[in-house]
Each structure stands twice: as C-alpha cells, then as structure tokens.
Amino acid sequence: MTLNRRQLLTTLGAAAVASRPAYPLAGAAAPRLGRPLVSGAGAVDWDAVRELFPLAPDWTHLAAFLFVSHPRPVAAAIEEFRRRIDSDPMWIEAAAFTDAEGRPFHKMKAAIADYVGGAPDELALTSNTTTALAVAYHGLRIRADQEVLTTEHDHYVHHESIRYACDRSGAAVRRVALYDRAAEASADEMTARLAHAIGPKTRAVGMTWVHSSTGVKAPVPEIADAVARANRGRAEADRCLLIVDGVHGFANQDVEVAKLGADFFAAGMHKWLCAPRGTGFLWGRADAWPHLRPTVPSFDPDQQETWQAWMDRRPVAPTRASFVSPGGFVAYEHFLAVPAAIALHAEIGRARVAARVAELNGAFRDAAAKLPNVTLVTPRDPSVSGGLTCFEVHGLSAEEVTQRFRARRISTSSSPYRVSYPRVSAGFMNSPQDLEVALRALRAMTP
C-alpha cells in the first residue's frame, strides 16, 4: 500500500500531544500582561503600551522602523510555541498537517489576511521583505523583449532583485525619478512621472510605498490606476504588474494594503507591526499569481499540490500563492506567534496606531523645520510622508549626526543610500518626550 504525505502526517497527528491553544485568533485581544491599554471611553494609555516593550529605559529609541523589539504578548506567544516544539519536535508536523492541534498555521495565515484585507490563499509567507521581492521578480514570467520599470528611490534589495532577475531573462531595466527634491514631492507629480514612463514593453513596475531614503510616501492607488490604464488592450502575457515594497507603510497607515491596487505587495512584519523577527509575506491578487513561477519548493501546509505533482511526476498546476512560499524549516515559533502582534494592534486599534505614528512624526518634522541648523528632506505634508523623517544638519555628515545622537544615548539611523541622510522615526511605543530629547540634541549640533 502506498502511503502519501497527507496520510502519513494524519497518522502522526493521532499520536500528537493534546491541544492547548496558545495563540490568539484573528481579531482577539492581546494577552493581558499589564494594565489595560484602552479605556472604556476609547482612550489609549500610551505609557502602558510602552511598558510592553523591553527597550532599555536609559536610551531614547527612535529607530523603531528598522528592527523590532518584541512586545510582551508577542514574546510570550513565541515562548509558548518554542516550549511546545522543544518538548516534542514532531509537534510541528501534527500542527501543520493535521487537525490535532487546531490548525495554528491556518489561523496564523487567516490573521495576516484579515489584517491586510485579503484572503489567506493570496499570501505567500516569507522571512522578510527581501525574500518576498526576490521570489516575485525571479518568478516573474518575463521575456527578453520586455522590461521592468522601477524608480531611482528604491532600496538596494529591490533594485538588486530586479537586476538579478533581468540579467537571467535578458529583459531590460529602466529607472525613473519620481521627484527632484523630496521635500517638494507631490502625489500628482509622482503619478505623472511614473505613468509617462510606462511603455508597451513594460512588464512590471517596481516601486516603494514609503521611501526609506527620503521618507516620501508614494501615492500607490493613483499609480495603480495609471498601471491599469496602461494595461488596456494588452494581452495577458504582456500585462504590466505593479510590485510594491510596502514595508515602511505596512502597519503604520490606516490602510488595508490589499486594497491599494497593487498586484503584489511585499513586507516584513518585524518592523511596524512588531511581529516576531524573521517574518514577512508577499501578498498578491488572485489573478496575478499565475504570472509568477515558484522558485523555492514550498512547504506551505495549506497546499499539497506541488508535493503530489512531484510524487506523480506530472507538471505543477498554474501558480497559486502557496506554491511561492519558500520551503525549508524556519523559526516556526516566530511565525506562529504573528497573530499575537496583530491582536495587539487590534486591541489598540489600527486607526489609533496610525494616528499616533502620524502625530508624533508630524510634530517632530514641524519642530525640526524651525531649527536654523536643520534642513528637512521629508515633506511635511502628511499625504506624502510616512513614519520616518530624513533631514540634514548643516556641516555634518549623516554618520556624524547619528554618532552625536548615540553619544547622548539616542538611537537613530542613517539611510544606506548613495546620498545618505540621518533619520528619526517614532513608533507607536514612543512618546512626545522622546522626540523632545532628540530635538534638544539637534539644537546643540554644530560643525
């Protein structure tokens, strides 16, 4: 008798340990690990929110967008799943492929889908934004007579994913500047420049939602409309796809990203969402996935088709999102704990998180703009700026500014681009007092 993988794992699941749900469901409240975060009247206790993060209290932390500190509900969920796996490593097989443990993988994907405003079968799980972009471009069905259009403002990993894929396919790469001076960027100009650059050979437009180089927030819905207009009358094999690096807008804007209009949206969850480190995703429209080829064999427990196609020595069906999730063993306790971060955002409220990020960073920009030794790079207009601020201090390099902040125990960063700027970013765990500390340090900076 032939025993396939599903039958084998079902058999293993029968011997699995008894289920004890250890993960919050989508939309559930985060575990109570301190005083309530939101009052009955809807007021957020931001001090209580800050207490969830084990950040060193003798430092001012203003690089929240770069890498996450696990808040306590997330850390607790990670530890519970780690304990389960360490006590019985085969638990992960039962949890992934049988009903014995309550389908935590399915619940995790459902929680992410609920947050992005899409469906679970539109998600490929990755470890970060870099991997998500790589599987998108290396899987793209593109011919040598086509091109990828991108912008001058994208990050190294976006540009290199495009370059590597086009080097292999023979396709061309073009770049367009969406603005000349970031501080004067406008939605209309950015949309017009990109729309004008799309040509009949453009197979994909690769862009970033919030530029970590300048802090500019690009108008994704308007650009999506321009891509849709360019696609009128095109054959499906010539369809222009909009691929968005969305990591610095994801979870700090009051937006369901699946409704922005992109074909594919890549993001790490270990930044603004404060989900476990090493977690990310590539979301794609259901009708866009067949335009990609899988590049890494999938272990996604929500699908058995690629495994069965290998077993039967037959071609794989048209690509679905689950085919694209890179396989191999990962930090399962981190992925399964993602719903705890989503639950924390749900408890505070997506709109309140976004408003807090906008308020803090907007206030910093307004105050910094008044300093005689500072020139803002990021626009002050909230419609075209995100949760980070780039600026210049007269007579000092970006690295010198960052080091002077560190000398005062203020953690910031500088942008890793050919033209580098110091950056300050407030997350929802920050306070107005944190930004005042940074502003006092800025006022004291002289060449």
Side-chain angles (χ1 to χ4, degrees):
M1 179 181 69
T2 301
L3 188 66
N4 66 29
R5 182 172 174 83
R6 182 182 294 276
Q7 291 168 329
L8 174 62
L9 294 169
T10 301
T11 302
L12 290 172
V17 294
S19 176
R20 290 187 302 157
Y23 40 84
L25 302 181
R32 289 292 182 190
L33 296 172
R35 61 184 188 269
L37 303 181
V38 183
S39 72
V44 179
D45 184 342
W46 293 111
D47 289 337
V49 171
R50 172 62 180 80
E51 289 171 6
L52 295 178
F53 292 83
L55 293 161
D58 57 336
W59 278 77
T60 300
H61 302 271
L62 291 171
F65 72 99
L66 195 59
F67 204 39
V68 71
S69 169
H70 290 156
R72 281 191 287 162
V74 173
I78 293 170
E79 186 54 37
E80 173 60 15
F81 284 114
R82 178 179 292 128
R83 183 193 63 77
R84 286 175 175 239
I85 297 167
D86 285 343
S87 64
D88 178 11
M90 287 303 294
W91 178 89
I92 204 69
E93 291 271 26
F97 296 106
T98 79
D99 294 329
E101 295 299 311
R103 294 283 179 179
F105 284 87
H106 179 76
K107 290 184 171 71
M108 175 262 294
K109 194 180 285 189
I112 300 169
D114 182 66
Y115 189 82
V116 304
D121 61 4
E122 295 169 339
L123 287 166
L125 299 179
T126 69
S127 295
N128 44 56
T129 314
T130 301
T131 305
L133 290 170
V135 297
Y137 287 107
H138 282 277
L140 180 64
R141 299 176 189 273
I142 188 169
R143 304 188 306 268
D145 63 335
Q146 295 176 317
E147 68 174 13
V148 175
L149 174 66
T150 187
T151 82
E152 294 285 358
H153 320 288
D154 288 88
H155 190 267
Y156 156 78
V157 302
H158 201 158
H159 281 159
E160 289 298 273
S161 290
I162 294 170
R163 183 168 70 89
Y164 295 161
C166 289
D167 280 352
R168 187 177 64 181
S169 67
V173 182
R174 279 195 301 124
R175 297 184 187 181
V176 60
L178 301 184
Y179 45 81
D180 295 323
R181 294 190 69 252
E184 299 171 358
S186 71
D188 287 346
E189 179 185 27
M190 286 187 276
T191 303
R193 287 194 181 196
L194 196 53
H196 180 73
I198 297 173
K201 296 182 179 180
T202 307
R203 179 67 166 112
V205 170
M207 61 167 290
T208 293
W209 190 8
V210 177
H211 299 161
S212 62
S213 55
T214 61
V216 169
K217 181 173 67 178
V220 177
E222 290 85 347
I223 290 171
D225 289 342
V227 172
R229 290 193 296 272
N231 275 324
R232 290 173 186 164
R234 289 196 185 196
E236 191 66 9
D238 296 322
R239 174 175 161 185
C240 181
L241 300 170
L242 178 58
I243 302 174
V244 176
D245 172 352
V247 69
H248 288 303
F250 178 65
N252 68 43
Q253 302 288 305
D254 187 16
V255 173
E256 291 185 327
V257 297
K259 299 174 183 175
L260 282 170
D263 291 289
F264 291 102
F265 183 98
M269 295 184 282
H270 44 216
K271 292 181 183 280
W272 296 95
L273 188 63
C274 299
R277 291 182 281 269
T279 59
F281 65 89
L282 178 66
W283 171 87
R285 291 162 48 122
D287 65 350
W289 284 107
H291 289 268
L292 301 189
R293 296 182 180 92
T295 53
V296 181
S298 172
F299 281 19
D300 193 314
D302 282 345
Q303 66 92 9
Q304 296 292 308
E305 289 89 341
T306 57
W307 173 276
Q308 200 59 52
W310 172 73
M311 293 285 284
D312 296 341
R313 305 298 191 264
R314 58 177 170 78
V316 177
T319 304
R320 301 205 308 271
S322 58
F323 296 7
V324 175
S325 293
F329 290 169
V330 297
Y332 292 111
E333 62 269 41
H334 280 216
F335 275 98
L336 293 177
V338 166
I342 293 171
L344 176 59
H345 275 249
E347 183 175 1
I348 299 171
R350 182 203 297 266
R352 296 188 188 105
V353 168
R356 179 72 167 180
V357 171
E359 176 187 11
L360 292 175
N361 291 285
F364 176 79
R365 284 191 280 271
D366 289 346
K370 298 174 183 177
L371 299 181
N373 61 332
V374 171
T375 298
L376 281 182
V377 174
T378 303
R380 293 172 67 181
D381 180 354
S383 71
V384 287
S385 56
L388 61 99
T389 301
C390 295
F391 54 91
E392 294 177 285
V393 177
H394 303 168
L396 297 177
S397 70
E399 187 59 27
E400 286 172 330
V401 172
T402 302
Q403 290 304 319
R404 292 197 184 194
F405 275 133
R406 289 195 69 81
R408 291 175 173 252
R409 304 182 78 80
I410 304 169
S411 179
T412 63
S413 70
S414 57
S415 57
Y417 295 82
R418 185 168 58 181
V419 178
S420 181
Y421 301 110
R423 302 181 293 191
V424 164
S425 173
F428 66 90
M429 75 293 292
N430 285 113
S431 68
Q433 291 74 27
D434 292 335
L435 295 170
E436 184 52 45
V437 169
L439 288 165
R440 285 199 298 270
L442 270 179
R443 293 187 189 101
M445 289 188 191
T446 55

